[in-house]
Amino acid sequence: MNSDKVIVTCALTGVLTNPVHHPVPVTPEEMARSAKEAFESGASVMHVHFRSQESGAGHLPTWDTSVAVEICDAIRQF
């Protein structure tokens, strides 16, 4: 069976990529803009690692549910 359909996934941040060295999105607004850009380029699935929102800690993961909700809501609004 041959199919011409594909699903494109975009990983917005990488696991522990440091935004000081590589321009990855960290804030909800940055992630939403990146997700919109990826969607407009053909991605239909966004893979997101939620990042600490504290100054200078954007390379660190967070398990704060309020940050996760804020990022997901920002992505959905775009």
Side-chain angles (χ1 to χ4, degrees):
M1 177 184 215
N2 188 4
S3 176
D4 293 338
K5 296 181 182 182
V6 298
I7 296 173
V8 176
T9 301
C10 178
L12 297 178
T13 61
V15 178
L16 294 174
T17 307
N18 190 336
V20 171
H21 302 288
H22 305 282
V24 296
V26 173
T27 67
E29 296 79 18
E30 292 169 346
M31 288 196 188
R33 275 194 303 274
S34 290
K36 181 180 182 201
E37 186 177 292
F39 177 78
E40 289 174 346
S41 295
S44 58
V45 176
M46 301 303 145
H47 178 103
V48 179
H49 290 269
F50 304 121
R51 300 299 187 90
S52 174
Q53 299 300 299
E54 295 177 26
S55 180
H59 62 290
L60 298 173
T62 185
W63 291 270
D64 182 335
T65 56
S66 65
V67 171
V69 168
E70 188 176 1
I71 291 170
C72 288
D73 286 349
I75 291 172
R76 287 184 182 114
Q77 287 178 7
F78 264 104

